[in-house]
Amino acid sequence: MAIADVKEYTHLTEEEVDQIGRELDAIRTEIEESRGAADAAYINRLIKLQRALAAAGRVTLLVGSQFKETRKPAWVLGASLLGLHKILENMEIGHNVMHGQWDWMNDPEIHSSNWEWDTAQPAEQWKHSHNYIHHQFTNVLGYDNDIGYGILRMAREQKWSPYNLGQPIYNSLLATLFEWGVALHDLDIERIRKGEKDPKEMKRQLKQIFRKGRNQVLKDYVVYPALAGKQWKTVLTANVAANITRNLWSYMIIFCGHFPDGAVHFTEEEIEDETRAEWYLRQILGSANFEGGRTLHILSGSLGYQIEHHIFPDLPSNRYPEISEKVRALAAKYDIPYTTGPLYRQYGQALRTIMKLSLPNSWTKSDQPDPPTPPHDRKRRGDDERPSRRAELGGWSRSSSNARA
């Protein structure tokens, strides 16, 4: 479903939309002014835990693999510890640090300008494709490359071709090799296919990806296995298992936040002259949360609060639970759709969409609910009263400050 006018489909007047923007701005200000020692302690504890898991996993594999009777349990334990380490580093730490969520601490080690995460995509490219493009143009067709990552058809508005019949296979490969799919994300495969990509820029990016990917391969598949001596295969396969575990988990979490029923897609025309308040509203309508305990949310990079993350991408992730309560109350107050549900259901709906959209639209039925009929007496703002969408847009402008010029 693509909506023609955000305000009409949520039954809001212009004044109500502006008031929603002011109330969300107030939430931002409240969180910014209350950041302090407890928040800093949270991220520092997580980094210490993540590094301890990595060390424990490496030691377990190196020591346990030396003895035949401990080799198998050491493999299971070591691979599990490394998988948890990689999930924590990528999701709750690396992703959020690179959003600038902890820049206010002025810690040069835990800062968006310096963090390089344990995955194949260079941080610089991630901050451009994700922080800038995705968060500025969330779920906007033709702009947001997260809609299918250039290989999947994820909206009925996207043109079908026989290529899409292979989506179940492409999806399985993307999930298993997710870090490598993400590594190519900023290349913009669609622009390359259309011949619109600057060859010099593409060459620069490919060199950067090659260097980062080479270092990842050397670390996990050469250096650490070599340290195990004769039992190098045990360490090598455990590292492969840890990386695949991280890939499958991060893929599932990200798809749960963008493609369940209720997460709306938009067109370029629908966001022309978008105000800050309308940008906020688009983030709410274009995102989906999932429910779970605190441990699940930490392991998912707090992306179970995807709505709150899209509204405030640069606020500390440990504050999303309290922000969520305020945003959900605001959504109920103004009768704004707030999409959430259990993790299994959100991913099940995303997977169903992948399968159905491998076929032409005429063969399937949309799972999105019909939009409500808008009232006829809505007060509309004239074009001359609408500020440019290039004005500062709260969370958008802040997250995009990390982007490459």
Side-chain angles (χ1 to χ4, degrees), residues 125-266:
Q125 294 187 28
W126 168 262
K127 286 183 284 189
H128 178 256
S129 63
H130 182 78
N131 293 12
Y132 178 62
I133 300 297
H134 171 62
H135 277 271
Q136 177 178 352
F137 297 106
T138 307
N139 270 19
V140 178
L141 295 163
Y143 283 82
D144 184 3
N145 288 327
D146 279 31
I147 305 177
Y149 288 84
I151 61 173
L152 299 176
R153 179 175 180 251
M154 296 303 300
R156 298 182 74 85
E157 296 85 356
Q158 293 173 313
K159 185 179 179 180
W160 180 87
S161 77
Y163 162 86
N164 297 118
L165 291 171
Q167 284 202 168
I169 297 173
Y170 314 149
N171 181 62
S172 297
L173 290 173
L174 177 63
T176 305
L177 304 173
F178 196 58
E179 77 166 306
W180 300 101
V182 171
L184 302 176
H185 195 28
D186 199 35
L187 286 172
D188 198 337
I189 303 301
E190 185 64 23
R191 288 182 63 206
I192 293 175
R193 281 202 294 252
K194 293 179 179 179
E196 299 173 353
K197 183 79 174 184
D198 180 357
K200 291 183 179 179
E201 174 63 8
M202 181 171 65
K203 184 177 180 180
R204 186 192 72 83
Q205 288 181 309
L206 285 171
K207 285 183 177 179
Q208 200 175 39
I209 294 168
F210 174 78
R211 288 194 297 268
K212 184 68 188 298
R214 176 197 60 196
N215 292 341
Q216 291 296 113
V217 170
L218 288 174
K219 173 176 66 71
D220 283 345
Y221 305 138
V222 178
V223 175
Y224 282 117
L227 293 175
K230 294 181 179 179
Q231 303 306 321
W232 62 271
K233 288 184 180 179
T234 300
V235 175
L236 175 64
T237 54
N239 289 345
V240 170
N243 280 318
I244 291 178
T245 299
R246 181 272 317 281
N247 290 346
L248 293 174
W249 178 255
S250 55
Y251 150 85
M252 180 177 69
I253 295 301
I254 290 171
F255 271 58
C256 282
H258 298 88
F259 305 118
D261 297 355
V264 180
H265 296 105
F266 306 85

Side-chain angles (χ1 to χ4, degrees), residues 2 34 55 120 165 167 179 212 245 267 284 290 303 323 358 365:
S34 64
L165 291 171
Q167 284 202 168
E179 77 166 306
K212 184 68 188 298
T245 299
T267 64
I284 297 174
F290 61 79
L303 295 181
I323 295 173
S358 67
K365 181 181 178 181

